[in-house]
Amino acid sequence: MKNLNISLCMLLVALVRLGGSAPSGFNYGDALDKSLMFFEAQRSGKLPLPQRVKWRGDSGLQDGFQQGVDLVGGYYDAGDHVKFGLPMAYSVTMLAWGAIEFNKEIADLNQMGQALWAIKWGTDYFIKAHTQPNVLWGQVGDGVSDHYCWERAEDMTTSRGAYKIDEQHPGSDLAGETAAALAAAAIAFRPYNSSYSNLLLVHAKQLFTFADRFRGLYDDSISSAQQFYTSSGYSDELLWAATWLHQATGDEYYIKYVVDNAMYMGGTGWAVKEFSWDNKYAGVQILLSKVLLEGKAGAYAATLKQYQAKAEYFTCACLQKNDGYNVQKTPGGLLYVRDWNNMQYVSSAAFLLAVYSNYLSATKSQLNCPDGQTQPQELLNFVKSQADYILGKNPADVSYLVGYGAKYPLHVHHRGASIASIFALHYEVGCTQGFETWYNRAEPNPNVICGGLVGGPDKNDDFSDERSNYEQTEPTISGSAPLVGIFAKLQSLYGNHNIGEGYNHNESPVPQQKTPSTNPGKATVSKTSSESEGAAVEFLHSISSSWTVGGATYYRHRVIIKNTSSKPISDLKLVIKDLSGSLWGLSPTEEKDTYELPQWHKVLNPGSESIFVYVQGGPQAKVSIKSLH
């Protein structure tokens, strides 16, 4: 019997290819959707039911167990199956920054639920890995043994040893980047899940203190990372973490930290032409420029102006307006920073310029380059040129975002994509058998690693689509993470808003309603229950606030949904009748008066709760269950 388990991406690609003529412009919304799908393909652990990448299965379910800690989850780094903490944390920081900076654009595309889910898959793992205030598990798997084998994640036979940093074995770069990721994620989640946001901040603050007090390079403590992700230093991560904590908390302590250490740690000394998982200086400099541009620098303005000068050095170098000290470009117009996986430096640079353009536009400012003043629109023109090159406007006429467009790499250096899925090939593919049977075959990969940004062409725009050419054909999460924000911004500016085939709509989360600042008086509470197929759901209704406007009284109704059964409940759909006001905390469906739990809270475990609120005058709405599983 033929395998019917076709991945969503392959189906969408087929639909696009059958659609006839190529589109006149790029569908950035579709590119964004595929970029988020790549993170689903890179998931480690127990995969959720709504998983869209159907050729992937559960993997790494014993990670950390030998060390007595639960390290199940997180992301595989690239085409291998090691969970490297430093690039993973950087990737989550960039996903969160995109969700913060381009919140409206992502929400308008109904992708905020998927974006937050991608962030949370990483932050949930970091919380588990941070087992004590001064202990962080920073890697699972060994790169040498992992690279010796070519096998699916579901068949892993290689070492799943776990490695940590602590007071005796510090890693300020790793702890600092993880603190930055958690702080940025706290901002991203704050409108939607304030309790989770607060939890992220607790861990972020502890990790920053750990990173600052016990200083050292993480790869001195986790030596097995040296061959793969060697750190060039930790000062940038300390500044980066402090900057994000200032953004998340507004606490003057953190802005004073980046000012007091500006010269000593290189924040105002390093003028750079690269932003990456290893080098955060340009990101720090641009984030701190925002504080200055918004007029919030106060007594720290003089030092923040020095940070901004370095931010403008980076920006002008990308725009080729830096008095000759520019970032190299290929003849086809692509930024060229490094020979190995150059595209990750392209996506990160384009992201920073998109963000800085926003900051300049919001404050009606200009960029001052050595070669002349530059308007914010010129930064966006650059961002568009790099994104368009990625999507196919290049000398090779190939999309370097796998699964996007009519022509993209087919021999991607990725173990899972290059071997038939466990749902199609049910027997185990051994360590060396993978090389013999799958790695060396001339045929295209059986699975499309949708949304993976491959390493890309060389300095002459030449590209060789070969599985063994890992410098050019391997995708990484650090390369794809900045694309989410970039594509959201470009879709809002240039995209066709009537998005056609190939685009997957997802419900966006609804921000939490803030309680009106009035005296609510005594809350009215009522309880109802409902049962279905042995699963019981209890609704606890209360009025938490009331206020009067123009003679009419309005009430803030708070409803707790609790699973009182011994079974998990998924796909819970509610019918809410007599609703005349606004509702927060549930996602509407296409059916009239029917709502469902938000994307990141699809399963209600036994004893757990979910809350939604609505505001209206008159009697309370009627809530009932339409269906559940």
Side-chain angles (χ1 to χ4, degrees), residues 425-622:
L425 192 68
H426 301 291
Y427 59 82
E428 180 180 308
V429 176
C431 171
T432 56
Q433 181 189 357
F435 281 109
E436 297 164 358
T437 308
W438 297 98
Y439 181 80
N440 295 314
R441 67 198 291 266
E443 291 81 9
N445 289 351
N447 307 308
V448 179
I449 183 75
C450 232
L453 178 67
V454 297
D458 65 16
K459 61 184 179 182
N460 298 312
D461 299 297
D462 293 328
F463 178 78
S464 178
D465 182 13
E466 297 176 8
R467 208 169 287 116
S468 59
N469 182 17
Y470 49 83
E471 294 95 337
Q472 293 190 331
T473 63
E474 186 172 20
T476 62
I477 56 174
S478 56
S480 287
L483 294 179
V484 174
I486 292 170
F487 290 145
K489 179 66 174 180
L490 294 178
Q491 180 65 27
S492 72
L493 293 174
Y494 309 107
N496 174 10
H497 291 271
N498 183 22
I499 300 172
E501 70 268 29
Y503 182 70
N504 181 51
H505 290 274
N506 301 285
E507 294 293 348
S508 287
V510 184
Q512 295 172 336
Q513 169 71 2
K514 290 185 171 147
T515 304
S517 57
T518 60
N519 183 3
K522 186 177 179 181
T524 303
V525 180
S526 64
K527 183 188 293 186
T528 58
S529 298
S530 180
E531 295 188 14
S532 177
E533 297 177 349
V537 178
E538 183 177 274
F539 298 99
L540 185 66
H541 299 253
S542 64
I543 297 175
S544 55
S545 296
S546 65
W547 62 100
T548 301
V549 179
T553 301
Y554 295 87
Y555 301 92
R556 181 180 186 270
H557 298 264
R558 182 173 184 263
V559 183
I560 298 175
I561 311 168
K562 184 173 182 178
N563 179 1
T564 59
S565 73
S566 59
K567 299 179 180 179
I569 295 173
S570 61
D571 296 326
L572 175 65
K573 290 189 177 181
L574 304 178
V575 175
I576 303 180
K577 296 281 191 180
D578 302 331
L579 180 67
S580 60
S582 300
L583 180 147
W584 295 266
L586 295 176
S587 298
T589 69
E590 295 179 356
E591 301 173 79
K592 183 181 178 183
D593 300 330
T594 304
Y595 298 81
E596 61 186 3
L597 296 179
Q599 182 67 45
W600 66 89
H601 199 179
K602 284 294 187 186
V603 178
L604 203 60
N605 289 317
S608 64
E609 301 174 346
S610 182
I611 298 174
F612 70 93
V613 298
Y614 60 95
V615 174
Q616 65 184 31
Q620 108 182 359
K622 297 176 182 176

Side-chain angles (χ1 to χ4, degrees), residues 9 76 144 238 282 320 330 341 366 461-462 483 565-566 577 598 607:
C9 182
Y76 299 124
V144 174
L238 289 174
Q320 313 293 296
T330 69
N341 204 309
Q366 294 178 327
D461 299 297
D462 293 328
L483 294 179
S565 73
S566 59
K577 296 281 191 180

Side-chain angles (χ1 to χ4, degrees), residues 129-136 165-167 175 202-211 213-214:
H130 185 214
T131 52
Q132 298 176 39
N134 295 340
V135 175
L136 176 66
I165 55 173
D166 54 29
E167 294 176 9
V202 169
H203 285 275
K205 291 176 181 178
Q206 288 182 354
L207 281 166
F208 173 72
T209 301
F210 171 41
R213 286 187 59 196
F214 302 94

Side-chain angles (χ1 to χ4, degrees), residues 317-334:
C318 290
L319 294 175
Q320 313 293 296
K321 289 190 169 187
N322 202 38
D323 194 26
Y325 295 96
N326 299 315
V327 182
Q328 181 182 349
K329 294 180 83 171
T330 69
L334 183 72

Side-chain angles (χ1 to χ4, degrees), residues 63-248:
D63 283 359
F65 282 19
Q66 288 181 347
Q67 291 77 26
V69 60
D70 178 6
L71 296 176
V72 176
Y75 287 110
Y76 299 124
D77 168 62
D80 53 15
H81 300 131
V82 183
K83 295 191 294 199
F84 289 107
L86 185 58
M88 190 197 307
Y90 163 79
S91 302
V92 172
T93 307
M94 296 308 294
L95 285 172
W97 197 357
I100 297 164
E101 190 61 45
F102 306 106
N103 181 288
K104 183 180 184 302
E105 292 87 344
I106 294 174
D108 286 347
L109 290 167
N110 293 324
Q111 290 283 8
M112 186 54 74
Q114 292 289 356
L116 291 177
W117 202 5
I119 296 166
K120 194 171 187 292
W121 196 267
T123 53
D124 282 352
Y125 173 78
F126 297 145
I127 289 171
K128 291 199 292 186
H130 185 214
T131 52
Q132 298 176 39
N134 295 340
V135 175
L136 176 66
W137 293 85
Q139 182 175 318
V140 178
D142 171 67
V144 174
S145 63
D146 184 273
H147 286 63
Y148 177 76
C149 292
W150 194 264
E151 56 190 353
R152 300 173 295 203
E154 298 82 1
D155 293 335
M156 270 192 292
T157 56
T158 52
S159 168
R160 299 305 290 170
Y163 308 89
K164 68 179 178 179
I165 55 173
D166 54 29
E167 294 176 9
Q168 289 73 40
H169 311 89
S172 301
D173 30 24
L174 173 60
E177 181 59 68
T178 309
L182 293 168
I187 303 173
F189 270 98
R190 188 172 292 150
Y192 309 103
N193 190 334
S194 58
S195 60
Y196 188 65
S197 174
N198 292 337
L199 176 64
L200 295 173
L201 269 182
V202 169
H203 285 275
K205 291 176 181 178
Q206 288 182 354
L207 281 166
F208 173 72
T209 301
F210 171 41
D212 190 37
R213 286 187 59 196
F214 302 94
R215 296 188 183 182
L217 292 170
Y218 92 103
D219 53 322
D220 285 342
S221 299
I222 304 177
S223 58
S224 62
Q226 289 178 355
Q227 188 176 336
F228 305 95
Y229 284 98
T230 304
S231 175
S232 60
Y234 56 75
S235 293
D236 53 333
E237 277 86 10
L238 289 174
L239 294 173
W240 180 237
T243 302
W244 273 113
L245 277 163
H246 176 257
Q247 292 285 318

Side-chain angles (χ1 to χ4, degrees), residues 45-63:
K46 180 73 176 176
L47 301 185
L49 290 176
Q51 172 87 7
R52 294 182 293 170
V53 181
K54 300 302 183 184
W55 50 268
R56 276 297 323 281
D58 300 339
S59 62
L61 299 181
Q62 300 297 315
D63 283 359

Side-chain angles (χ1 to χ4, degrees), residues 376-391:
Q377 182 59 45
E378 191 165 340
L379 278 67
L380 289 177
N381 293 343
F382 164 83
V383 174
K384 186 175 186 298
S385 73
Q386 300 304 291
D388 288 355
Y389 188 107
I390 288 171
L391 296 181

